[in-house]
Amino acid sequence: MKKVLFSSVIFALLFGLAACGGGEEAPQAADEVVDDGVRTIEIVGTDDMKFVVREAAEGLVTGAQAGQYLLLEAIEAAPGEELRIRLTTVSNLPATAMSHNLALVELGTDVDAFARASITARDNDYIAPAFEDQVIVTTRMLGNGETDTITFTAPEAPGEYDYVCTFPGHFAGGMVGKLIVQ
Ligand SMILES: [Cu+2]
């Protein structure tokens, strides 16, 4: 019994040390760091109210350089393709002033109306309840340093699906893009 206890203490000590890891950036959460073959797109939301990526990649339509990033204009996907989007907000401002989400909506959604209606939907993470049935998938609203990962299946119907950030003013500021299913 005594030996067992001793081993447990050693184990706890070793485990504790390993968990501390010493200064390296900790992973977001165990369930977000996975390698299961699903295409994962790392997107950053910036203080310029843009969706950006760190580098170009197949299946991404990128535009102008935006500081250290590339503007992300569109994501190309096959019908029914499984996709994962990891959105991270990088900001110098408090979350109440600068947060981002990424909400993908059905074809035919009036995104301008959706964004405008969502301005007053703070209690619902800035997703207007009246438009919820047109939202295919959305991340949480994220302040500086926060990340959310969504895994979803691209629609079967080909078309250009809008995604927007619904934080007040960000749609108007150009925080938009398209999921091109083809
Ligand atoms: Cu935003």
Side-chain angles (χ1 to χ4, degrees):
M1 185 63 189
K2 204 168 187 183
K3 197 172 179 187
V4 171
L5 268 177
F6 182 71
S7 306
S8 309
V9 169
I10 296 290
F11 178 78
L13 279 173
L14 285 173
F15 186 77
L17 283 174
C20 287
E24 278 173 56
E25 205 172 310
Q28 296 293 332
D31 64 346
E32 290 186 359
V33 182
V34 288
D35 184 10
D36 54 7
V38 176
R39 174 154 70 109
T40 300
I41 303 160
E42 304 264 358
I43 302 176
V44 173
T46 67
D47 281 352
D48 295 336
M49 297 179 288
K50 296 290 182 291
F51 291 118
V52 299
V53 291
R54 291 185 176 83
E55 54 193 15
E58 202 182 327
L60 300 183
V61 180
T62 52
Q65 192 85 24
Q68 57 179 315
Y69 302 109
L70 290 171
L71 211 57
L72 177 64
E73 295 177 346
I75 299 167
E76 296 168 332
E81 181 183 351
E82 200 174 6
L83 285 175
R84 178 172 295 125
I85 290 177
R86 278 171 61 86
L87 176 68
T88 302
T89 294
V90 175
S91 176
N92 294 309
L93 299 166
T96 48
M98 184 62 66
S99 289
H100 304 297
N101 66 1
L102 188 155
L104 175 70
V105 295
E106 298 281 4
L107 288 179
T109 301
D110 182 342
V111 279
D112 183 48
F114 170 46
R116 275 188 285 110
S118 295
I119 289 172
T120 53
R122 193 181 64 180
D123 292 348
N124 199 42
D125 231 13
Y126 290 108
I127 299 290
F131 284 83
E132 267 178 337
D133 60 348
Q134 293 172 65
V135 176
I136 296 171
V137 65
T138 183
T139 68
R140 289 184 296 113
M141 191 59 80
L142 306 163
N144 176 44
E146 294 182 319
T147 296
D148 191 23
T149 304
I150 49 174
T151 304
F152 62 99
T153 304
E156 292 288 345
E160 299 194 355
Y161 296 74
D162 292 301
Y163 58 83
V164 298
C165 171
T166 61
F167 195 80
H170 290 199
F171 171 77
M175 202 156 185
V176 297
K178 288 187 184 301
L179 176 71
I180 302 172
V181 177
Q182 58 191 359

